[in-house]
Amino acid sequence: MESADLNAVWLTLKLATVVTLLLLVIGTPIAWWLARTRSAFKGAVGALVALPLVLPPTVLGFYLLVTMGPHGPLGRLTEALGLGLLPFTFPGLVIASVFYSLPFVVQPIQNAFEAIGERPLEVAATLRASPWDTFWSVAVPLAKPGFLSGAILGFAHTVGEFGIVLMIGGNIPEKTRVVSVQIYDHVEAMEYTQAHWLSGAMVLFSFLVLLALYTFNPARHKAL
């Protein structure tokens, strides 16, 4: 591989790692709320979280680009804070990827929380465990397969992004050019050998992701 390819691989892995960690932090309380609430807003919130599953990446990317641009609310805020604009930067890629991969982390964790049932939580309550202790000592350990599935799917989905990262990050070497964009560049330049190497690596990576998902959480494939 050329140095540009290796830089793209490194940037992609860095992006996927940061996004996955953020998604676990952000997605866990959302998944817990969706699994436990009886609010009338549950359906609306669930649909909003799942929206990237059916929304074209270019549509989501366009609205994020407008929001983070100089005339958007987030863009004005970041400029007022002296942070500059987020489009065509690595932090901008992170924010866009968090939005786009959110359902791939929230839904497996939510399903795992729902599968726990009421009984373990009620037993913990009778033992005078606080809601906080119940969550960390009972719910999280029992939902570990959901966390594993969510982390794997979130990481893999971020690695495979193309449309939204191209719209938000552009194609800046060593800053926003990820593997999917690098493959596109090779094909556009008719550099098929380099494209084969990177594409083959992506196919192998995807297979290993699914293998890990089915191996460590064999019940997951029944729901896919």
Side-chain angles (χ1 to χ4, degrees):
M1 290 188 184
E2 301 175 352
S3 60
D5 295 336
L6 295 176
N7 287 332
V9 170
W10 162 246
L11 185 65
T12 302
L13 294 177
K14 178 182 175 183
L15 175 66
T17 300
V18 172
V19 169
T20 301
L21 293 175
L22 287 175
L23 283 172
L24 289 174
V25 173
I26 297 170
T28 298
I30 298 175
W32 178 251
W33 184 84
L34 288 172
R36 302 289 299 167
T37 187
R38 296 181 180 178
S39 171
F41 297 103
K42 177 180 179 178
V45 174
L48 190 62
V49 169
L51 199 58
L53 293 174
V54 297
L55 200 63
T58 49
V59 173
L60 182 59
F62 169 71
Y63 283 113
L64 286 174
L65 191 62
V66 172
T67 302
M68 294 189 293
H71 303 295
L74 185 56
R76 291 176 180 174
L77 176 61
T78 55
E79 283 197 309
L81 295 175
L83 302 176
L85 295 174
L86 293 174
F88 311 112
T89 65
F90 182 78
L93 278 184
V94 170
I95 293 175
S97 298
V98 164
F99 276 101
Y100 193 48
S101 296
L102 186 62
F104 291 88
V105 175
V106 170
Q107 291 186 353
I109 299 176
Q110 178 187 346
N111 292 336
F113 281 147
E114 291 175 344
I116 293 173
E118 295 291 337
R119 183 62 178 170
L121 304 180
E122 291 174 352
V123 171
T126 61
L127 296 174
R128 298 183 179 180
S130 67
W132 185 257
D133 289 335
T134 300
F135 176 78
W136 287 108
S137 301
V138 179
V140 170
L142 291 176
K144 189 178 295 184
F147 282 95
L148 180 61
S149 296
I152 293 174
L153 289 174
F155 187 93
H157 189 254
T158 303
V159 168
E161 291 174 5
F162 175 73
I164 197 167
V165 296
L166 186 61
M167 290 198 68
I168 299 298
N171 190 1
I172 306 174
E174 300 184 23
K175 290 185 177 180
T176 62
R177 183 187 291 173
V178 295
V179 168
S180 56
V181 178
Q182 183 73 2
I183 293 173
Y184 176 80
D185 283 349
H186 282 317
V187 173
E188 194 174 43
M190 300 184 71
E191 298 170 347
Y192 294 138
T193 301
Q194 294 90 329
H196 273 304
W197 274 104
L198 283 179
S199 298
M202 290 291 288
V203 171
L204 178 61
F205 171 79
S206 301
F207 172 77
L208 293 176
V209 165
L210 292 176
L211 180 62
L213 193 63
Y214 290 172
T215 300
F216 294 106
N217 190 9
R220 173 66 185 172
H221 75 277
K222 297 178 182 179
L224 289 176

